[in-house]
Amino acid sequence: MNKLISTVLALLLCVSIEGVAQSLLPDFHKYARFAGRATGFVVKTPDGFEVVQQGQDACWTPEERKAGVVTPFYNYMLLSEDEECVAFYPDVSALTFAWLGGAKTEPDYIKQAVGSGTRERLTVYAASDADKTLGADSVWLFEKPLPKAVRGRYAYSAEWYAIKDGRPCLFLMCILTTDGLKRKEAYFERLYRSVGYKRKWTYSQEVFDRETLRLHTKK
């Protein structure tokens, strides 16, 4: 029976990951509750932002990403009220499911990016800052201007990769307009207050299974 339940959960998560049917992707607020209860992540709507897309269309990433770079799953797109910043939130159930399947705590592409030094504007957070911003042990921030503005406006991108011992990896991304770039620290602070690792969390298979079923079951 446990094997059957695990198989059903895997199928549910795969549907969410692939975004085959956008209608099956949970409402953001319902998903945020699931994240806090089952995955050890804090996920909230940042102050001054609203969810504008979810599902397959929100799994968008800039065309400038080169082939071979592992792309995390982004299932929620949030827009700032002034429309100068767009944030992309990851599918934390997918990140947790990959971690349960044996995914490395620190993916190879993070090591390669940090080691090569070829990525523009790489910031490696001090341990205290990593903990303060995302509740993580280590955080890498990659910032760069985009060769071609996304949708003709968003010409700058920022991506965070975070790890915490005994937890899944965390990814976060945003793009900004030229005016938004001038206020990037304000946007970043809003994101830091809305996404990150819970301070205390212990994985429970029972809780994860129960909350996953609830997440994908209409009430």
Side-chain angles (χ1 to χ4, degrees), residues 158-197:
E159 295 179 80
W160 291 263
Y161 300 88
I163 60 173
K164 188 176 182 67
D165 185 46
R167 305 283 192 93
C169 295
L170 176 62
F171 307 99
L172 181 63
M173 177 182 176
C174 75
I175 52 175
L176 304 113
T177 64
T178 300
D179 288 338
L181 179 59
K182 299 174 184 177
R183 300 188 295 278
K184 70 172 186 175
E185 295 301 332
Y187 295 120
F188 289 0
E189 284 299 322
R190 295 182 194 179
L191 296 178
Y192 295 152
R193 292 196 297 267
S194 65
V195 181
Y197 290 97

Side-chain angles (χ1 to χ4, degrees), residues 84-147:
E84 304 294 346
C85 177
V86 181
F88 298 91
Y89 277 18
D91 182 344
V92 293
S93 67
L95 298 178
T96 304
F97 198 62
W99 172 69
L100 293 172
K104 296 180 181 178
T105 300
E106 184 177 347
D108 290 338
Y109 62 91
I110 291 181
K111 295 180 179 179
Q112 292 169 1
V114 173
S116 66
T118 58
R119 293 289 293 270
E120 294 183 32
R121 301 196 64 180
L122 165 64
T123 300
V124 181
Y125 285 35
S128 59
D129 291 332
D131 180 69
K132 180 180 178 181
T133 54
L134 296 174
D137 295 333
S138 300
V139 175
W140 296 267
L141 169 60
F142 296 102
E143 302 175 84
K144 68 176 181 179
L146 299 174

Side-chain angles (χ1 to χ4, degrees), residues 1 9 24 29 31 73 77 89 102 124 129 133-134 142 145 162 181 185 201-202 206 209 216:
M1 179 62 70
L9 291 174
L24 293 179
H29 298 290
Y31 197 79
F73 300 103
M77 179 187 294
Y89 277 18
V124 181
D129 291 332
T133 54
L134 296 174
F142 296 102
L181 179 59
E185 295 301 332
W201 176 75
T202 301
E206 179 182 356
D209 291 351
H216 296 280

